[in-house]
Amino acid sequence: VIVGSGPIGLELLETLNEIDEVKNITLLLRGKHLYDKSLSLESIKTIQELKEEAEKICGKPAKPDFDDELVAVIKWVDGTIIDSVRKVKS
């Protein structure tokens, strides 16, 4: 899976295409737009399409049950807390 279709992602795609052992490559994008118009829209999947495909195969995951214990906080560069991570109940 290659995330993004910018210059680095496209360079990686080009490199992987030259390796015989690589049988399947998926571009994971936010939308159906590409920086390289020579790529086929049929060869890319949006994040939503990939999620739907995974759910068809595996089913929808159960929602986790969280403990009250905080295990991490995510801060912005100015110190503002923008998210927190809670322990999953066992």
Side-chain angles (χ1 to χ4, degrees):
V1 173
I2 300 174
V3 179
S5 63
I8 295 172
L10 294 176
E11 185 176 329
L12 178 58
L13 177 63
E14 192 174 292
T15 302
L16 291 172
N17 274 331
E18 296 172 2
I19 301 173
D20 291 334
E21 291 82 16
V22 176
K23 301 297 179 207
N24 190 354
I25 300 171
T26 300
L27 280 174
L28 185 57
L29 307 172
R30 290 185 193 162
K32 292 264 188 184
H33 59 279
L34 297 170
Y35 290 93
D36 186 340
K37 299 299 180 192
S38 67
L39 294 173
S40 165
L41 285 176
E42 290 77 38
S43 67
I44 66 169
K45 294 179 183 174
T46 63
I47 293 170
Q48 184 63 32
E49 289 169 335
L50 196 60
K51 176 185 178 284
E52 290 168 1
E53 185 178 319
E55 287 177 349
K56 282 182 189 175
I57 296 168
C58 304
K60 289 189 178 186
K63 294 200 181 239
D65 195 16
F66 296 106
D67 197 310
D68 289 335
E69 181 183 347
L70 282 176
V71 293
V73 291
I74 296 86
K75 294 182 180 181
W76 190 246
V77 292
D78 67 358
T80 304
I81 296 175
I82 58 173
D83 205 351
S84 59
V85 180
R86 297 193 179 274
K87 180 178 179 180
V88 177
K89 287 184 181 178
S90 343

